[in-house]
Amino acid sequence: GKTLDVVVVGCGLPKRGMGWYHLIQLLENDDVTVAGVIEPFFCNAKLCATPPASWTELVNSLKADHGVPCADSVTKLPKFTKDTLCLIAGRTADNPALFKGCVDHGAKFIYLEKPGAPSVAELQEMADYAKSKGVKVYLGYNKNVTPYVQKALKKSKTVDGAHVQFVHNNSYAINELNECFSRNAEGMMKNMAIHELAVIVSFFNVTVDTIAEFKVNKAPEVTEALTVWVPGTAMPNAKYITDFSRVGFTVTTKSGESVSIAANRCGGNVSHASVADGSGA
């Protein structure tokens, strides 16, 4: 049957990068032909002279098992001559340039991973450019439709005084946080907890104008900020970056509805939601 060509842009490492997770799903989809994988860092010998073994193994298996080429730029692929979707899952700061490159190379559709760009102004510029070229762009938050979120929302409607908490976990070891913080330099709120923020905006009427109270749970087991060394820098010019390793907070709207979010970079692989009644049970 007819398939859609898809190019994954910004793959990342196996079991780390969101692009990799998309790639694995796409390879299993009979309606898709993966036409290429673009990885601006690990495929660039100047930026990464010695790629991790997991990346080298992935490149070799993609070529041997699926005939999928890997490159550091979309311009290294043949110009798109049939309808092609570029799935962009690069670093937020890199996305505007990756986006324009895909449009200029002939992509007809773009799926843009959150948050899309560092600023609203850049997102608007990207949207205008795509529109001028007749390219359709999709930017969504998949947690809005995940089963556990939908079940929690449904359950909350049957509980008096319901309070919902959404918990988002990653499985980094603490000694891996310097790489995590540096790669996701926009910070936990824009990079990780943004999924849950999108949920509460979509389903709990949370906006700048409706927020009555924003309360951080300052217990150290819930909220912790760390300052870590930036990989690739060294004394005397070492650089450091500060971000949350974990954070928890509750938002209450002017209508009296409250909802909580917790995110933990070292919390494990399972994300979940819970619904409590007015007594906290």
Side-chain angles (χ1 to χ4, degrees):
K2 187 176 181 181
T3 64
L4 175 68
D5 278 9
V6 176
V7 174
V8 177
V9 181
C11 179
L13 291 177
K15 298 184 179 180
R16 289 290 178 79
M18 185 56 65
W20 178 84
Y21 285 100
H22 285 300
L23 171 64
I24 297 307
Q25 292 179 321
L26 291 168
L27 289 171
E28 297 173 349
N29 191 325
D30 293 336
D31 296 322
V32 166
T33 297
V34 178
V37 170
I38 304 303
E39 176 42 57
F41 182 75
F42 295 114
C43 274
N44 187 320
K46 293 182 180 179
L47 297 177
C48 183
T50 55
S54 61
W55 174 253
T56 302
E57 292 168 5
L58 175 64
V59 171
N60 292 337
S61 67
L62 285 171
K63 182 178 180 180
D65 300 337
H66 305 281
V68 176
C70 296
D72 65 341
S73 170
V74 71
T75 59
K76 302 287 181 67
L77 299 179
K79 196 86 170 181
F80 304 141
T81 56
K82 58 183 292 190
D83 287 352
T84 299
L85 181 148
C86 284
L87 191 157
I88 301 177
R91 297 191 307 171
T92 301
D94 297 338
N95 282 352
L98 296 174
F99 182 95
K100 186 176 186 299
C102 290
V103 173
D104 291 344
H105 207 63
K108 294 296 183 184
F109 313 98
I110 290 179
Y111 179 96
L112 186 60
E113 263 291 349
K114 54 75 188 169
S119 69
V120 174
E122 287 169 293
L123 283 172
Q124 186 61 60
E125 184 178 334
M126 292 156 69
D128 292 343
Y129 189 70
K131 185 176 181 179
S132 72
K133 301 293 185 179
V135 177
K136 293 184 177 180
V137 182
Y138 304 87
L139 192 156
Y141 293 89
N142 57 13
K143 286 206 174 180
N144 285 23
V145 295
T146 52
Y148 80 86
V149 169
Q150 290 297 311
K151 288 178 182 178
L153 295 172
K154 184 177 180 180
K155 179 67 175 178
S156 69
K157 298 183 186 303
T158 68
V159 176
D160 291 337
H163 181 91
V164 183
Q165 182 185 46
F166 298 100
V167 178
H168 186 166
N169 288 317
N170 282 168
S171 58
Y172 290 94
I174 193 165
N175 63 355
E176 297 172 327
L177 289 179
N178 59 341
E179 186 275 335
C180 173
F181 285 10
S182 300
R183 180 164 47 84
N184 304 300
E186 64 271 24
M188 176 182 274
M189 297 299 287
K190 284 186 176 181
N191 173 265
M192 184 178 178
I194 194 168
H195 287 283
E196 287 67 34
L197 291 172
V199 169
I200 67 174
V201 167
S202 300
F203 300 111
F204 292 84
N205 192 34
V206 174
T207 69
V208 172
D209 295 328
T210 64
I211 294 175
E213 182 183 43
F214 183 95
K215 186 175 182 180
V216 178
N217 186 336
K218 295 183 180 180
E221 65 270 18
V222 178
T223 297
E224 176 187 63
L226 296 176
T227 297
V228 297
W229 160 76
V230 175
T233 68
M235 297 298 289
N237 299 311
K239 295 181 180 180
Y240 299 87
I241 187 170
T242 300
D243 195 8
F244 292 107
S245 62
R246 53 183 178 265
V247 68
F249 56 89
T250 299
V251 178
T252 303
T253 64
K254 293 174 181 177
S255 66
E257 187 173 22
S258 65
V259 58
S260 297
I261 291 173
N264 190 337
R265 289 291 192 189
C266 306
N269 281 321
V270 179
S271 296
H272 56 89
S274 61
V275 181
D277 61 20
S279 68

